[in-house]
Structures are given as C-alpha cells and as structure tokens.
Amino acid sequence: MPKPETVQSRLQAAFPGARVEVTDLTGTEDHLQALIVSPAFAGKTRVEQHQMVYEALGELMSGPIHALALTTRAS
Amino acid sequence: MGDDLRTRIEGLLQQHPVLLFMKGSKQFPACGFSSQVVQILKKEGVAFETFNILADDDMRQGLKEYSKWPTFPQLYVNGKLVGGCDIVTEMHHNGELAGVLKG
C-alpha cells in the first residue's frame, strides 16, 4: 500500500509548484483524498484534470489505491 | 489494447447515447459509487444503458486504457467520458449534468 507521503511526493513531482494535500481517509492507506491546485489545470475540463493526475500516479492506481477522491483546480 | 476491443468499445458508445460502465447492474449495483450514479441518472429522468464490467474483464481493462481513467463507474454521454462518481455527483448538484444529458 502506498503511504500518503508517496502519493504526495509523486504528485508534487508531476505538478511542480502546485499545492498538494493528500489525506488518508480510513487510516488504511488505500482510501485517499487528494487536493491539487496547479496552474497546469487552467483551461482543462475536470475529466482532463483528473486524467492528468491518474497519469502521474500510473501503477499506483491499478491496484494499491482502491479509492481516490480527487479535487483539482487551477487556482 | 487490441483493435477488436477498441471497436467493441466504440460500437457500444455509438449504440447508447447515455452509457454507464459500472460494477454490477442497474437493478443490482455491486458498489456504492456505481449505485450512486444509477440513482442520479434515475433522478435526471433520462433513458440510460448500463454495462457490468465485473462480468467482462477484457472490457474492464480495455476501458481503463481507452479513457485513461482507472476507476469505475464511468459515465459516457454521446461517446464522451463525463466522469466518475465524484464529477457526476457534483454536476448533478450544480445542474451541469442536466445540460450535458440534453446534449
């Protein structure tokens, strides 16, 4: 299971300068909540923004993380 | 992903203007998030089709790649991914979903 810190640093690396907050909702490291505020999201639909996040997380999404509640915005 | 699978996905999307890929069926959802989207579509009063990805692992894996979206449910309107449970719920509450469904 990925630690919230792992997800946090992965997102921080993918979205330089972004505000990233990852919370472990259940204390079991598989139901996470993430807030990402990045100028990279400007002009993108929510689906596109979330696709960018999923791409950054790559293999973490195909197993270790069961649920990720995402909030993304440009500013 | 193979061409066969891509053709199958695109065929389904063409056939059904409002299509929900979900865990379980409309009558018996197998997951709370899938169930929530079914309830929302019923409230929106729109005709919709569902596809149970638990019964078709090729489709389940293929869709993740097709849509660059790793989770289910996935709601498509007129062939376009609208979102998963979070986005659909938010759009239902702010009225955006009704507009998309009228398309």
Side-chain angles (χ1 to χ4, degrees):
Chain A
M1 295 293 164
K3 297 224 170 294
E5 301 85 77
T6 311
V7 175
Q8 170 97 26
S9 59
R10 184 81 74 94
L11 290 173
Q12 204 75 69
F15 302 98
R19 176 176 156 214
V20 178
E21 288 169 21
V22 178
T23 320
D24 185 344
L25 292 175
T26 53
T28 51
E29 297 178 350
D30 54 1
H31 288 70
L32 304 178
Q33 178 179 295
L35 166 74
I36 304 136
V37 184
S38 166
F41 294 140
K44 309 252 191 229
T45 66
R46 256 165 309 182
V47 165
E48 289 166 342
Q49 294 176 5
H50 289 204
Q51 281 169 331
M52 288 163 74
V53 175
Y54 291 142
E55 197 177 2
L57 293 176
E59 83 292 347
L60 292 179
M61 288 309 302
S62 57
I65 301 174
H66 285 294
L68 178 66
L70 269 184
T71 307
T72 53
R73 53 174 198 264
S75 59
Chain B
M1 175 180 17
D3 285 348
D4 285 1
L5 195 50
R6 183 173 292 273
T7 307
R8 247 187 95 201
I9 293 172
E10 285 171 353
L12 279 171
L13 292 176
Q14 248 170 22
Q15 208 179 333
H16 306 291
V18 183
L19 179 58
L20 179 67
F21 291 95
M22 61 179 286
K23 295 181 176 176
S25 67
K26 202 186 284 191
Q27 288 75 23
F28 299 103
C31 147
F33 299 111
S34 289
S35 174
Q36 189 172 326
V37 175
V38 167
Q39 293 312 316
I40 285 172
L41 289 173
K42 284 182 179 168
K43 277 188 204 152
E44 293 279 352
V46 70
F48 65 101
E49 196 59 46
T50 62
F51 186 100
N52 180 7
I53 51 103
L54 292 180
D56 191 331
D57 200 54
D58 283 351
M59 202 59 156
R60 183 179 187 171
Q61 301 309 328
L63 270 169
K64 290 183 186 183
E65 197 183 322
Y66 180 82
S67 59
K68 300 188 179 66
W69 200 266
T71 59
F72 293 93
Q74 296 182 6
L75 176 65
Y76 289 79
V77 177
N78 297 323
K80 200 161 178 278
L81 177 64
V82 173
C85 183
D86 285 352
I87 291 178
V88 170
T89 301
E90 189 185 330
M91 290 175 76
H92 171 60
H93 289 305
N94 70 16
E96 262 181 84
L97 186 60
V100 170
L101 289 169
K102 272 183 209 141

